[in-house]
Amino acid sequence: MYAAPAAYVADLPRPERCLVMGVVNVTPDSFSDAGAWLEPAAAIAHGRDLHRQGADLVDVGGESTRPGAERPGVDEELDRVIPVVGALSAEGIVVSIDTMRAAVAVEAVSAGASAVNDVSGGAADLDMLPAVARLSVPITVMHWRGHSATMQSMASYTDVVAEVQAEVAARIDAALAAGIRADHIAVDPGIGFAKTGEHNWRLLGHLDELRALGFPLMVGASRKAFLGSLLAENARLRPVDARDDASAAISALAALAGVWCVRVHDVSSSLDAVKVASRWARAST
Ligand code: PMM
């Protein structure tokens, strides 16, 4: 009934429990922390703080993917993330770069990043998968149907679990065909990306079917709108900054479902949650 992570991703930490990835959005417009970490010094301090809280990895991103967001130019994205990636990596913090651009991934890895997190699974930039193969670093391949400006118009499925599984399997095949090592690939259902709340819940309730693809799973549900709706009172969404308890609950349940890594904004609550899940899973064997 309860599951330990099916597998770990090579060349990343292996704490023998679900990993916790802390998020640093170096953006003016992310839904979860709009603009709070846009200045490099603030972003670096935040990354350090997440590391002190126990984050196994810190994910640095320079492009907001909230529904409707406009894309920054590549130079703008590089200016946002490279100083942050460089400073955190130099302190021994394991950094992943959240980008859909091969050029940003390449610069970030040369600045010290250990992994690439591409929400498009290599579909947004056809140079991405060959670049990651050459860099020989891990990559998270997320389910994605299109850029933020239009993605919610693509939230249409007959069977969301089967379709996400098939579409993400095609991206895994593309990654392998580009020469990326199988043990460098993690898979993510892309909670909130071209999905309604109902779709998100069905995917979370059927993580075992995504696990059946045979790759470590990442889940990024932290602070997302479907939690705001779940916790709404008097038709008012729960504010973004009051969704961390629910996010930690998702982390515990995801860990029990055998997820490899949860991507969260509040690290300490999710770290406690995955430790409880890990102890619970051990007691149930
Ligand atoms: N969600 C966001 C950004 N990057 N990466 C992965 N792998 N999975 C996600 O669900 C994901 C992601 C959007 O959330 P944010 O604006 O709070 O970073």
Side-chain angles (χ1 to χ4, degrees), residues 254-281:
L256 268 189
V259 162
W260 161 72
C261 181
V262 286
R263 181 183 180 279
V264 296
H265 303 89
D266 185 63
V267 164
S268 55
S269 57
S270 275
L271 187 58
D272 286 359
V274 301
K275 285 180 177 171
V276 169
S278 160
R279 185 66 189 83
W280 183 299

Side-chain angles (χ1 to χ4, degrees), residues 11-270:
D11 301 323
L12 289 178
R14 284 187 66 123
E16 301 295 328
R17 54 160 170 75
C18 177
L19 278 76
V20 177
M21 169 186 273
V23 178
V24 178
N25 285 318
V26 196
T27 56
D29 54 349
S30 286
F31 76 94
S32 53
D33 42 21
W37 324 115
L38 185 57
E39 288 303 316
I44 293 163
H46 186 53
R48 272 189 204 124
D49 187 38
L50 296 176
H51 175 68
R52 262 194 305 271
Q53 288 175 37
D56 300 297
L57 299 135
V58 170
D59 193 38
V60 176
E63 173 174 354
S64 167
T65 47
R66 72 185 295 165
E70 294 296 327
R71 304 196 71 189
V74 61
D75 290 337
E76 174 72 37
E77 189 181 343
L78 285 166
D79 287 348
R80 290 178 186 176
V81 296
I82 298 305
V84 181
V85 169
L88 295 177
S89 303
E91 294 176 21
I93 297 173
V94 183
V95 171
S96 86
I97 176 70
D98 184 344
T99 186
M100 289 183 266
R101 289 183 165 125
V104 176
V106 169
E107 287 293 314
V109 170
S110 76
S114 302
V116 175
N117 173 25
D118 181 349
V119 299
S120 80
D125 179 347
L126 297 183
D127 292 336
M128 178 64 97
L129 298 177
V132 170
R134 277 194 302 276
L135 293 167
S136 193
V137 294
I139 180 169
T140 297
V141 171
M142 201 190 80
H143 177 262
W144 180 89
R145 283 187 164 180
H147 286 289
S148 304
T150 55
M151 67 179 176
Q152 286 315 104
S153 67
M154 300 167 192
S156 166
Y157 304 84
T158 310
D159 178 341
V160 67
V161 177
E163 286 166 60
V164 166
Q165 190 182 39
E167 289 170 28
V168 107
R171 300 313 308 160
I172 294 169
D173 289 347
L176 293 169
I180 296 175
R181 281 165 45 183
D183 64 358
H184 269 165
I185 297 175
V187 169
D188 186 323
I191 299 298
F193 286 79
K195 294 170 192 88
T196 63
E198 188 57 35
H199 296 140
N200 294 332
W201 287 117
R202 269 208 84 69
L203 287 164
L204 290 172
H206 292 80
L207 289 171
D208 53 328
E209 291 178 43
L210 296 173
R211 250 177 56 134
L213 288 167
F215 291 85
L217 279 188
M218 183 181 293
V219 166
S222 179
R223 296 187 182 171
K224 286 185 177 169
F226 75 121
L227 297 177
S229 304
L230 177 76
L231 304 172
E233 282 170 57
N234 303 323
R236 190 172 161 264
L237 291 188
R238 175 70 66 85
V240 170
D241 61 0
R243 298 177 189 168
D244 286 331
D245 294 347
S247 302
I250 300 246
S251 293
L253 293 166
L256 268 189
V259 162
W260 161 72
C261 181
V262 286
R263 181 183 180 279
V264 296
H265 303 89
D266 185 63
V267 164
S268 55
S269 57
S270 275

